[in-house]
Amino acid sequence: YSVLGKATQKYLRARDIGSRTVDTATLKEFLSQIQYPLHFFDYETSQNLVPVWDGTKPYQQVTFQYSLHIQHEPGGKLDHFEYLHRDISNPIPPLLESLAQHIKPSGSVLVWYESFEKSRNSEMAAAYQTYARFLEELNNRVIDLMIPFSEEMVIDPRFMGSSSIKAVLPVFNPSLSYKDLNIQEGGSASRLWKEAVFDISNPHLQKSIFADLIKYCERDTYAMVEIYEQLRKLVG
C-alpha cells in the first residue's frame, strides 16, 4: 500500500476489514473534550485575483456567509443562525457583527477541517481589531469533527477512503446528503455568490442563488449535528 495515495490506502484498509470498526477508547477520549453548548459552525468564502474590498489581499478567502447550529444540552433542541451577504459591499464587518451576537461565550465550536475556519478567523482578527479578541477566543474553542475520520478512529469501507463530510454523512444517515441541493460544493457556492452580487441584472436569478446558498451552508452545519450524534451513539 505504501506507494498509493493516503485516501486509497485508507480505503483498502477499510475494505480488507470489511465492515465498520470503531476505536471506542480513542473516540471516547476525543468526544470528552467537547463541551456544551455546542456550536456547529461553517463559513463560505470567495476569493479574487484583484482585491475588491479595502483590507483584503489577492486570493484571500473572504468570508461572505456562515451557518451556525447551537445545541445547549445532549439531545436538546437546535437553534439556527445564519448570515449571507447580499450586495457588493465588504461582507466581513456585518458578518462579524452578526456572528458576535450569536456565538455563546462558552462551549465548543465544532467545524469540519479546522485549519480553514481558524485561518479565516486569524485573517479577520488581524484586519479588524475590534473583533480580534473575540476571534482569537473563538479559535481556542474550535474542535475539528473530521478528526475521528481522518485519524481512523472510525473506519468504514463506504467512506471510500475519504474524510470529507460529503462522504461521511450519507453513510451515517442515508436519508440525508447533498444530492437534493442545487449547490453541492464550496467552489460552486463561491462562484454563484459572486455572480449574484456583482450582476444584479436578473433579480429572480439573484434571489434563487441566495436561497440555494442558505440551504447549502445550513446543510453543512446540520450534517455535523447528525454525525456528532452518531459518534455519541458509537461510544454508548
Side-chain angles (χ1 to χ4, degrees):
Y1 292 172
S2 60
V3 297
L4 302 173
K6 184 176 180 180
T8 304
Q9 292 181 46
K10 287 174 65 176
Y11 169 66
L12 291 176
R13 284 196 296 271
R15 190 191 65 178
D16 288 347
I17 295 169
S19 61
R20 179 182 297 170
T21 60
V22 181
D23 183 343
T24 305
T26 307
L27 178 58
K28 192 170 186 177
E29 182 180 357
F30 169 81
L31 294 176
S32 70
Q33 306 171 62
I34 298 173
Q35 299 179 349
Y36 287 84
L38 306 184
H39 302 72
F40 300 89
F41 183 64
D42 181 65
Y43 282 133
E44 297 302 329
T45 64
S46 179
Q47 59 179 185
N48 297 283
L49 170 59
V50 179
V52 177
W53 303 285
D54 290 344
T56 61
K57 302 174 183 179
Y59 294 114
Q60 179 180 333
Q61 297 277 4
V62 175
T63 55
F64 64 83
Q65 181 180 11
Y66 76 76
S67 176
L68 172 67
H69 277 93
I70 298 179
Q71 187 177 49
H72 293 271
E73 59 188 8
K77 75 178 185 70
L78 292 171
D79 295 323
H80 182 246
F81 305 99
E82 64 192 14
Y83 179 81
L84 173 62
H85 200 66
R86 297 171 184 261
D87 61 50
I88 201 172
S89 64
N90 189 340
I92 298 176
L95 180 145
L96 288 175
E97 181 181 3
S98 172
L99 184 60
Q101 291 174 357
H102 293 126
I103 291 278
K104 305 302 179 185
S106 63
S108 298
V109 179
L110 302 176
V111 301
W112 202 275
Y113 189 57
E114 66 180 330
S115 65
F116 183 80
E117 268 74 24
K118 291 175 77 171
S119 294
R120 305 293 77 76
N121 288 339
S122 296
E123 291 164 358
M124 291 188 290
Y128 299 90
Q129 289 298 308
T130 303
Y131 294 97
R133 184 174 180 179
F134 164 72
L135 291 166
E136 290 164 3
E137 291 177 349
L138 193 63
N139 273 355
N140 291 335
R141 294 159 54 192
V142 165
I143 295 177
D144 192 346
L145 202 56
M146 187 176 75
I147 286 176
F149 307 97
S150 62
E151 297 189 4
E152 299 187 83
M153 299 176 199
V154 182
I155 298 173
D156 194 307
R158 293 172 294 174
F159 297 155
M160 301 300 291
S162 174
S163 301
S164 164
I165 196 169
K166 294 173 179 63
V168 173
L169 177 63
V171 174
F172 273 8
N173 186 339
S175 67
L176 192 62
S177 72
Y178 289 75
K179 293 181 179 179
D180 62 316
L181 302 179
N182 290 328
I183 297 175
Q184 299 182 6
E185 44 83 28
S188 295
S190 174
R191 175 180 57 81
L192 288 167
W193 177 76
K194 285 191 286 189
E195 182 179 323
V197 297
F198 286 97
D199 180 4
I200 60 174
S201 62
N202 188 336
H204 178 74
L205 177 61
Q206 184 184 53
K207 183 178 179 180
S208 176
I209 290 172
F210 288 153
D212 289 340
L213 285 166
I214 290 291
K215 291 177 183 177
Y216 171 69
C217 197
E218 183 178 0
R219 181 64 52 87
D220 274 342
T221 54
Y222 187 70
M224 284 187 272
V225 173
E226 287 287 305
I227 291 168
Y228 175 71
E229 289 301 323
Q230 292 299 321
L231 291 175
R232 288 181 63 228
K233 290 177 181 178
L234 289 179
V235 298

